[in-house]
Amino acid sequence: MKIYHSKKASLENDLETLNKKYSSISVLRLIAIVAFLFSFYYYIQNSEVVFAIGAFLFFIGFIVLMKIHSKLQFERKIQEALLEINTNEIDFLENKKLPFENGIEFNDFHHPYAYDLDIFGEHSLFQNLNRTATYIGKKKLSNLLLKVGSNDFIKDNQEAVKELTLKIEWRQDFSAYAKVTRDNEITYSNLLKWSTFNSVGLPRWVVLFSYISPIVFVSVLVAYLISSNVVLANSLSYLVLINLIVLGMFLKRIQLEVANSDNIDTISKQYSFLLQKIENESFTSNKLKDLQKKLTFKSENASIHLKKLSELFSNNDTISNFVTAILFNGTFLFNIHILKRLIFWKKENAHALEDWLEVIGEIESMISLANFAYNNADFVYPKLNSDFIIDFKDLSHPLLNANIRIGNEVSFNPQSFMILTGSNMSGKSTFLRSLGINMVLSGIGSVVCASEATVHPLPVLVSMRLSDSLTDSESYFYAEIKRLKQIMDALEEQPAFVLLDEILRGTNSDDKRNGTIEVVKKVIAQKAIGAIATHDIEVCLTTNDFPDTLINKCFEVEIVNDDLYFDYKLRDGVCQNKSASFLMKKMGVI
């Protein structure tokens, strides 16, 4: 955390200096334009050359100051974004607030584990991991969290995350540039829609005319300036009129290009900055180098192509100014040339555009995992295997406060399935979620909350906390049965890591017990690895029939100084202590 405080203090000083410089340039810019106006006025009044020279120099000075002002303005935005990044990390690590988007829009109640394990929403895994600032980055991170990758995929991600963990300066710079884009799903979608919209080229005669007309106009203009011939002056008027008629024939199409391109000039320029950051960095991991290679297109970097697109749209905006449109199009058919180049850009680059933007998303998702690893130096990368071995030492929930979380050692070898007992509040559900969350993290190439970990990455299937679907007239019990059917169907296809918490709550105790036992038998018959939590002691007797596969584990509660004491430590065997009666007596319920 010290580095964030140090960077914050440094950035505050830098920003203060930058703001002073920015204010000074603003004052000088004002002085320059006022001086230009005065010099120009006195030149008109007195026709003295010194005032003409002064007006010219002050105008040039104003242009230079404008460029410096724009540059400082952008630098200030980047510095402010960097300051926000470090302030957010401090607030997060000091448990003051969670200033990151929670991804609730990606929640899926029908997903095998997303809702049960709090992958999205307030205080979710996504919110704790998320350091993305672009829409595509957020989308890529959400997709990453929804499925377990292959061993090769995970190893590539681990290698990339390890490399980015050490690049804190580059990570924060990239994130700052991403914040400045201020893009969203609409702007992202608009860019992709524009790239495939009406890409039909202009008629050949228009293309030919757009080249010939400016040459003719300039030739007639030069001839007129030399000869002052009235006929040539009239010819210039006719040429302007003809050009505007040709422009009018394609005005609707030009306007359609503009109508389907809200903020494309700005967003494409910001995307080009992000791509340039990736292109210019030196990477060693295979994944990051492969992503970098995707940005070389037709002998040029993707950032250059996007910068050209931004410039074309900026130029195309002249059509919105009537006087400028008449001047530029009447003489050189300016917007016809821009339209032609936009169509050519689409033809040449549109099919690669989405791939370029996805590289930004991939990098942002890796940055999120790298930031998570950096903030949790005591977490480890799991060792991977393909032998169905899953072991954790000091396993805990990564979202719990580091000062209070309790680690447990758990091994699914030789027995592959655990029957877990314990009273309410003893830690069963938190332990199951710890297992689930760390299996998800293992499957995406992240560090896990353990001191040692060996994992065979498997699909994660969970039935822990289902939601009544009132809109579908569906009860909790029926929703649970559907989830169990979903789990069984998935197990028919391949082995998986299964977590079940107090299943079949919506039926009587005998039915619940018998149903739970049958579910356990079927799950282990499908070679599943995992755990089931239950309050029914008789379910634990199933281990007698399957001693090589099932094992009993428990969380105990003790009564210390006439109060309940939970140590949240996983033990062998079946829970013996009963806390419900004690607690009800203590509170006067019975």
Side-chain angles (χ1 to χ4, degrees), residues 507-518:
T507 185
N508 65 64
S509 57
D510 287 340
D511 197 23
K512 175 183 174 183
R513 178 176 59 255
N514 294 333
T516 300
I517 291 172
E518 292 304 315

Side-chain angles (χ1 to χ4, degrees), residues 161-180:
V161 172
K162 287 176 183 177
E163 181 177 1
L164 288 175
T165 301
L166 302 176
K167 292 178 177 284
I168 184 170
E169 296 291 340
W170 187 86
R171 280 193 287 112
Q172 290 201 349
D173 281 346
F174 187 89
S175 295
Y177 275 80
K179 275 182 174 292
V180 169

Side-chain angles (χ1 to χ4, degrees), residues 568-582:
Y568 306 111
K569 297 300 293 183
L570 187 67
R571 294 176 169 83
D572 293 327
V574 181
C575 175
Q576 301 299 318
N577 295 329
K578 300 176 182 178
S579 60
S581 298
F582 171 81

Side-chain angles (χ1 to χ4, degrees), residues 134-153:
T134 67
Y135 166 73
I136 187 61
K138 188 165 62 170
K139 186 179 176 182
K140 281 289 181 182
L141 180 60
S142 68
N143 289 341
L144 184 65
L145 290 169
L146 291 176
K147 58 184 178 183
V148 173
S150 66
N151 281 26
D152 288 340
F153 173 84

Side-chain angles (χ1 to χ4, degrees), residues 2 38 59 118 122-123 162 164 167 177 194 197 254 259 282 289 298 303 325 348 353 369 449 515 521 547 553 570:
K2 287 181 180 179
F38 272 105
F59 183 74
D118 299 311
E122 281 299 309
H123 302 285
K162 287 176 183 177
L164 288 175
K167 292 178 177 284
Y177 275 80
W194 171 84
F197 170 77
I254 294 170
S282 176
K289 286 195 293 185
K298 295 185 177 179
S303 61
E348 293 293 306
L353 177 60
L369 297 187
C449 185
K521 288 180 179 179
K553 294 282 186 176
L570 187 67

Side-chain angles (χ1 to χ4, degrees), residues 333-351:
L333 285 171
F334 183 77
N335 283 98
I336 292 290
H337 285 283
I338 295 297
L339 177 61
K340 182 176 58 182
R341 291 172 66 188
L342 283 171
I343 293 170
F344 181 77
W345 194 98
K346 287 184 187 183
K347 181 181 177 181
E348 293 293 306
N349 304 296
H351 60 284

Side-chain angles (χ1 to χ4, degrees), residues 299-319:
S299 74
E300 279 191 321
N301 286 337
S303 61
I304 295 174
H305 293 292
L306 275 177
K307 188 177 180 182
K308 287 178 181 177
L309 178 63
S310 175
E311 290 170 353
L312 286 173
F313 270 104
S314 295
N315 292 333
N316 202 41
D317 283 344
T318 58
I319 197 69

